[in-house]
Structure formats: C-alpha cells, structure tokens
Amino acid sequence: MAVTTPPMTAAPELVRQRLQGKKVDAAGLIFRALLLLALLVTMAVLVVLLVEVLTGGWGVFTTRMGEFLTGKLGSSAARSGIAQGLRGTFFIGAFVVALAFPLGVGAAIYLEEYAPKSRFARFVDINIRNLAGVPSVVYGLLGFAIFVKALRFLTGPGSANGATVISAGLTLAILVLPIVIITAAEAIRAVPDSLREAGFGVGATRWEVVRSHVLPYASPGILTGTVLSLARALGEAAPLILVGATTGFLSEGAGYGLSTLQERFTAMPIVIYSWAGRPQPGFASNTAAAIVVLLAVVLLANAAAILLRNRYEKRR
Amino acid sequence: MAPETRTQSQPEKRSEPTAATRVDANRPVAEPRPEDIDPTAVFDLEDLSVYYGSFRAIRNVDMTVCQKQITAFIGPSGCGKTTLLRCFNRMNDLVDIARVEGKVLYHGVNLYDSAVNPVEVRRRIGMVFQKPNPFPKSIYDNIAFGPKVAGVKGDLGEVVERSLRRAALWDEVKDRLKDSAMGLSGGQQQRLCIARALAVDPEVILMDEPCSALDPIATGRIEDLMEEIKSEYTILIVTHNMQQAARVSDRCAFFTAEVNETSDTRTGILVEFDRTEKMFSNPSDERTENYVTGRFG
Ligand SMILES: Nc1ncnc2c1ncn2[C@@H]1O[C@H](COP(=O)(O)OP(=O)(O)O)[C@@H](O)[C@H]1O
Ligand SMILES: [Mg+2]
C-alpha cells in the first residue's frame, strides 16, 4: 500500500480525490434508520397514551378539579374523588422510602464493601436478582399471608381485618427491596477502587472510606435506582388487590393521621382499576383524570430525584 | 498527629553492619561507605512471597530498608514491584485473592501479625499511587481527611498549609483551597496526593511509579520534592525510569521475572539490592548490568 501512495509533493489533486472518496455505506444507513424507527415507535406510544388520558380527563379537570382531588369514592361518577386513593399512595410511598431505601442501601453496602467475596456471597447476590424477577402477584400473596393474616394484631386488629395501608406499604416495600439492593450495589460497584485506596492509604477505616468517599460518589446512582423503584411501587395494583385494597365504596380512609393507618384503604392504581371497569360514562373520564394525577405524582418524584442528583454531582 | 511514630523509630542497633543485599550469600559484601555506617533499618523482609490465588507473583524476597533514605525498586513490567510495595502497608489486604507468606518486619514487628491493625499501619506508612487519585472534593478536604480520621480536632488550616508547602504546591493553590481537586493538572494532582500523604505525618512514604503519568517538568518537580523531604521520611519508590532511580535513590533493588518451569507464568525475584551508585556503575549480577545498560531482554 505504502508503495502506491504518491509522494505528497506529487499531486494534491490525487490526494484530494482519495480523501473525498464517496462510497455509500448502505448497511450503516439502514441500521441508522432502524434505530430511529425504534425510537419513534416508543415516542409514538407515549404520545398516544398522554393525548388519550389528557383529553379523556380534561373535562374533569376543567369542571371540578378541587372536588375531584378532595372527594371520596362514591356511586355517582360526577361526585366521586380520589382523596382516598392519593392518601393510600402517599402512605405506600412513605413506607417504601422509610423501609425499602435504608434496608436496601444498607444491604447493598454490606454486600459490596464488607461481605467477603465468598461462594455464599455470590449465592446471596444471585438470589436477590431472582427475587427482583418474581411477579408482583406473588408478593401480594406473601403480603396477604404475613401482614394481613399472621401480623393482623399489628397491621389492623379492628374492622379492617389486616387489610390496611400498613399491610400494603410493607408488602410493596418488600416488593421493591431487591430492586433497591441491585441498583444501589451497582452504583457502589461503579466507584473506582483508586478512590478507596486513596482513603485507606491515609489510614481511614472501612467505615470512614465508605461514608466519606464511596457513598457520596455512588449517591447519584443510588438515588436514581431508588426513585425508579419508588415509581414502580406507586404503580403496582396486583399485590394491593391481594392485600385487600377496597375497590368499591369506602367511607373511611381519607385521613392522614397515624390512627387512620389501621383503617380500610385504597390506592391510586386500585381506584383506576375499579373505575375503568364501571359501565357508566362518567367513570371513563374519571379514570383518565386519575391516571393523569398518578403520572404527575410519579413525575414529581422523578423530578425531585433529578434535582437531588444534580446537586450531588456538582459537589463531585 | 502520631507522636509515637518518632519515638518508635529510635535507633535500634542491628547486628549487621550494612544493609547490603542478602540475595547472594557468596558475593562479597559491599565495601562500607559513610552513608552505610550504622544505618537504622525500618523494614526487614524475611522470605516474603506474594500469591494471587495460586499464582505466585513474587517470591523469597529478603531485604532491609533503611531509615531516611530513598530506596528504589526497578525492573521490567510485571515482575511484582507494585505487589511487593503494597506489602509494606498492607494495601494487598484490599485484594481478596492476595496472600502473603513470610514476614514484613517494621521496627521488628511483623506487619502481617494477626494482632496488627492495618489501619494503624497505614497511618505510619503512607502511599502515593501510580495514577494521581485525589478525592473528588476540595483541595482543602483532600488534605484534611487524613488528619480528621486520625482524630485531629479543631482547625486543620495550619496542617493543610504545612502539608501543601512541603509538597511545593502551596503557592499554586493557596487562593483556591475550596476548589475541587479535580480541576488541577496531573502534576499538581500528584503533588496534592503527596501532600495528602504527608498530612498524617507518616514515617514512611511508598510511591508506586508516581511520575509515570506526568510530563518531564512535573516529574522534575516531584523528584526535587523527594530530595527535599527525604531528610524527614523514609521513601520507597517504584520506578520504570532508570535515570530517575539513578538520580533520586540512595539504594536500589533490581527485580526480574523468572519463567516457572511447571506453568506458563512468571514469578518475580529480587536479583540485586545495593547502593544505587554501585548498582549503576558496577553491579555484581550480570542481569542487573544488562538491565541498567539497556541490554535487557
Ligand atoms: N490484583 C491482582 N490479581 C491478580 N494478579 C495480579 C494482581 N495484581 C497484579 N497481578 C499480577 O502479578 C504480577 C506482578 O504484577 P505487578 O506487581 O503489578 O508488577 P509490576 O508493578 O512490577 O509491573 C503480574 O503478573 C500481574 O498480572
Ligand atoms: Mg506496577
């Protein structure tokens, strides 16, 4: 090859011709078009969904937004509201944040930083991954057996018979626990070893290295993972049905006091599910409006996470 | 910060008059020179071998490292210099599969004794790594972290200034101590890492090819710096650069890798350890001579 290349001084024209060679890269173009198509299909689905629920729920928001947000479940579509659903979803989120986050992040720190890399540790790791793949209905059954039945004296000894927001929150916290562990462990694993060595090198203990360097570095990743799992928990309906969320009329379950935790409950996905099944026309727009509200709640949680993450990343 | 460090290093008279190599017992012992008389040993390695799983990375090293000298480790890539250096402050503990056999005596105490706390070891024996690895925090926090975990209370501004001055970095960063260390140049980052190591007032500083990622000017700065602080610290440095070893070190150890007979692996051995001047002008071992004259391999 080198032999056939003309000397630089010979002919700039020749060099230009070679450099400007226009061979059409057909395979590359097709591949690029396919990738674009994949993106467009995804976007189209999302847009259709949003347009559908926004137009469906529009009437509700324009005519009786306040009443819709503060009203209780009822038989008349025009007077039904989602206050109880929002309240249930709020408490489920609170349980996930208060239980699944610290437990999951703690377990991830232990697995990544402390546990000896033994065969047992690998076994535990694989099983956590398997747990993350267990269908949510199964967690519902588990929650029913443990929290509703066995721990009834704690979760709801009164008329609710264990089918309370405590049982629901605990069940969903357990449901997302493996996801929190996996994402947090991945974020911790992505911390470069040179950072740990720097910490150990000046005589820090394992805990000091973890607290001062590993966790701050991993926190954006941990945060992203935990908020994703929160969104997952807020959107789950199947386990809640098994735990006994109320689908019909519900007079109680609108208060935010701690004493109301042992009352019967419902949550946003359940409200959506039960309204979607009603034949009366008014409930169709109620359903769409409830979906918009649930989407807004999840988006809000994501936005909060992004804000927090940006603050952490700036400090890096 | 660690006042006991200095008292521990009180001269401990050794029976051997010199710290010359003990690799080849038949070789005539190097003639004692003024700087060799009564050197105080800080480290004594006894038959040290390091394994990664079943792979032996370096074997049967015996050597004595003297106080307030610069000891250089040279040798081809992969002969176990980094592995050996990381035994001096138990950094190999962080590698799950690493296993050490033999003894690393520090003032007579085996660092690998089960009663020894590696955290205490690393407070006295600091380390500077091949790739500059400042914490992704402010310059101030980089220096202050070590003293903080060592239990120093109150304002660390003075410690930070003193450490940065000793590492010849103060003038360049004094106006931006609160800025992130990640914004410094490679050479500045490496001097920051040296300052960070000095801040806990160690007795020994281990340096693993500290200049390999730096340009010649930054390298020169670090060499000057080593020259400056060697009156107060014992320095062990791994280097790829033979001129650097010749320029800065008092003693020099040459390692090479031997192909194992039974498997297709290489195990590092210590070939020769002597005064740097002798290693480069009149080495006793032919392999050393070939290496230092560039005829290796
Ligand atoms: N963490 C590790 N795990 C397994 N093998 C390693 C590890 N670190 C180094 N080694 C091996 O040990 C040998 C010596 O490596 P090293 O000490 O880095 O050599 P040098 O610093 O002299 O280039 C090499 O064969 C290397 O592949
Ligand atoms: Mg190395």
Side-chain angles (χ1 to χ4, degrees), chain B residues 107-264:
Chain B
H107 298 294
V109 179
N110 184 8
L111 294 182
Y112 280 91
D113 198 291
S114 59
V116 168
N117 178 357
V119 170
E120 292 299 326
V121 170
R122 296 183 198 122
R123 272 177 196 165
R124 289 163 180 77
I125 304 164
M127 192 155 204
V128 177
F129 299 84
Q130 185 163 0
K131 216 174 124 244
N133 60 349
F135 300 126
K137 305 198 169 202
S138 74
I139 293 168
Y140 183 97
D141 287 343
N142 262 274
I143 310 288
F145 178 70
K148 246 183 228 161
V149 297
V152 180
K153 294 272 180 295
D155 184 22
L156 293 169
E158 198 194 321
V159 180
V160 171
E161 177 173 347
R162 181 153 35 93
S163 309
L164 285 170
R165 277 191 194 282
R166 273 194 288 187
L169 190 60
W170 174 252
D171 290 330
E172 287 157 70
V173 302
K174 62 176 180 231
D175 300 322
R176 46 174 173 147
L177 292 177
K178 293 285 166 218
D179 291 4
S180 170
M182 307 315 278
L184 298 175
S185 73
Q188 289 173 324
Q189 286 188 4
Q190 196 62 303
R191 274 180 284 149
L192 181 71
C193 291
I194 294 175
R196 181 176 68 191
L198 297 179
V200 288
D201 207 14
E203 182 188 357
V204 182
I205 297 173
L206 311 174
M207 297 180 160
D208 188 1
E209 298 193 35
C211 304
S212 66
L214 306 184
D215 64 66
I217 293 176
T219 300
R221 287 237 173 95
I222 297 212
E223 286 178 9
D224 292 346
L225 168 61
M226 287 168 62
E227 199 57 45
E228 198 125 311
I229 61 176
K230 88 176 221 201
S231 58
E232 292 172 73
Y233 303 92
T234 304
I235 299 175
L236 278 80
I237 177 173
V238 172
T239 174
H240 244 109
N241 179 333
M242 271 179 293
Q243 287 80 37
Q244 180 170 63
R247 277 194 301 266
V248 301
S249 70
D250 301 299
R251 293 181 159 275
C252 185
F254 171 60
F255 297 84
T256 193
E258 276 185 343
V259 180
N260 295 311
E261 276 153 25
T262 51
S263 63
D264 192 26

Side-chain angles (χ1 to χ4, degrees), chain A residues 115-117 193-206 208-209 211-213 216-217 315-316, chain B residues 86 89 91 94 96 119 122-123 125-127 129 131 133-137 145-146 149 180 182 196-197 200:
Chain A
K117 299 276 171 285
D193 269 338
S194 61
L195 192 58
R196 296 188 181 86
E197 288 180 342
F200 286 120
V202 291
T205 60
R206 174 73 65 174
E208 284 157 351
V209 170
R211 188 195 52 192
S212 303
H213 304 297
Y217 194 96
R315 265 195 250 148
R316 258 198 211 172
Chain B
R86 289 163 63 96
N89 68 345
M91 218 54 173
L94 305 183
D96 283 305
V119 170
R122 296 183 198 122
R123 272 177 196 165
I125 304 164
M127 192 155 204
F129 299 84
K131 216 174 124 244
N133 60 349
F135 300 126
K137 305 198 169 202
F145 178 70
V149 297
S180 170
M182 307 315 278
R196 181 176 68 191
V200 288

Side-chain angles (χ1 to χ4, degrees), chain A residues 1-7 14 18:
Chain A
M1 286 306 281
V3 185
T4 63
T5 309
L14 212 72
R18 290 189 178 189

